[in-house]
Amino acid sequence: EAGVTQFPSHSVIEKGQTVTLRCDPISGHDNLYWYRRVMGKEIKFLLHFVKESKQDESGMPNNRFLAERTGGTYSTLKVQPAELEDSGVYFCASSQDIYNEQFFGPGTRLTVL
Amino acid sequence: AQSVTQPDIHITVSEGASLELRCNYSYGATPYLFWYVQSPGQGLQLLLKYFSGDTLVQGIKGFEAEFKRSQSSFNLRKPSVHWSDAAEYFCAVGPGYSSASKIIFGSGTRLSIRP
């Protein structure tokens, strides 16, 4: 069974550009989460989807970040326009339900120059 | 407020030596507790978790952790480390009995192994 996959593994963009990160959860997992780790600090929750609906988006830093999950399958996280402080590693995770283990992807390292 | 503290940013131990990584948490209810490991170029992997029951939890790769409610701690231990254990380790809490689903992570402890 394939794990959580994320694309790209690394993205380097300039300030003001747009970047879209993609996450493919484990098949059959209705719950999908985004987290990020900025500047070697703690990993912080961004948002949580249940199928295609946003269950909790309390961690989204501002309106430059837009997450979608079309059809309840894969999810995208768009940053527009990117700022220097957005640099970090963006993790995606999925789980069958909120009381079971979240399986994490390898992350996307975003560098904004 | 819910939080997790890992007081050690970086630890170096000799191969074959014992290891203990510290973790303290602040949580309003009985927490679900986790330890994750991230090896270079890899995603976060769950080492072990505590939901209830026996406070000494066994995990993968020979790791164990002990939940101490009185100390709000969930320290990770291994009796003899291997060079392949070099990685970053994260303690985390949640989701618990509340409707919250997010995991709250500590800032991580980087483990280096001395040959």
Side-chain angles (χ1 to χ4, degrees):
Chain A
E1 178 182 323
V4 176
T5 57
Q6 293 187 244
F7 183 82
S9 58
H10 194 180
S11 179
V12 181
I13 62 172
E14 295 194 348
K15 176 182 173 180
Q17 290 185 322
T18 298
V19 63
T20 300
L21 314 180
R22 173 170 170 145
C23 168
D24 286 81
I26 293 172
S27 178
H29 282 193
D30 288 339
N31 292 267
L32 188 149
Y33 312 81
W34 284 98
Y35 295 82
R36 75 170 180 176
R37 189 182 191 199
V38 175
M39 293 294 289
K41 296 185 177 178
E42 66 270 21
I43 301 166
K44 286 193 173 180
F45 168 84
L46 295 178
L47 87 160
H48 169 210
F49 283 99
V50 178
K51 297 185 180 179
E52 67 275 8
S53 300
K54 293 175 185 176
Q55 182 76 9
D56 180 356
E57 51 184 329
S58 61
M60 294 289 266
N62 52 61
N63 58 11
R64 295 186 294 103
F65 289 76
L66 175 64
E68 295 180 322
R69 191 180 182 193
T70 306
T73 55
Y74 70 91
S75 174
T76 58
L77 179 64
K78 180 188 289 188
V79 185
Q80 180 183 26
E83 298 289 345
L84 298 178
E85 63 264 25
D86 300 332
S87 295
V89 181
Y90 291 75
F91 292 100
C92 176
S94 72
S95 70
Q96 285 185 315
D97 58 59
I98 66 170
Y99 299 108
N100 277 300
E101 176 183 351
Q102 294 182 25
F103 293 86
F104 283 79
T108 293
R109 180 174 296 279
L110 174 64
T111 303
V112 183
L113 302 176
Chain B
Q2 301 161 1
S3 66
V4 178
T5 301
Q6 293 181 249
D8 303 307
I9 297 173
H10 186 197
I11 286 181
T12 300
V13 299
S14 297
E15 190 168 15
S18 63
L19 171 71
E20 182 169 24
L21 302 183
R22 296 183 290 166
C23 172
N24 292 93
Y25 66 89
S26 173
Y27 201 84
T30 301
Y32 286 2
L33 294 159
F34 308 86
W35 274 98
Y36 286 87
V37 61
Q38 185 181 22
S39 299
Q42 304 296 314
L44 290 164
Q45 181 182 21
L46 182 66
L47 280 176
L48 48 78
K49 60 188 177 186
Y50 172 78
F51 285 175
S52 64
D54 192 347
T55 56
L56 184 62
V57 182
Q58 301 297 320
I60 61 172
K61 304 184 180 185
F63 285 93
E64 66 177 25
E66 186 172 11
F67 171 56
K68 293 185 177 180
R69 185 187 302 275
S70 62
Q71 298 177 20
S72 296
S73 70
F74 189 56
N75 293 349
L76 182 71
R77 300 194 294 250
K78 187 170 184 179
S80 176
V81 298
H82 186 262
W83 64 266
S84 60
D85 293 325
E88 192 158 19
Y89 293 79
F90 297 91
C91 182
V93 297
Y97 294 106
S98 72
S99 60
S101 57
K102 57 190 175 184
I103 291 178
I104 298 169
F105 287 87
S107 54
T109 297
R110 182 168 299 279
L111 174 65
S112 297
I113 306 297
R114 189 184 303 118

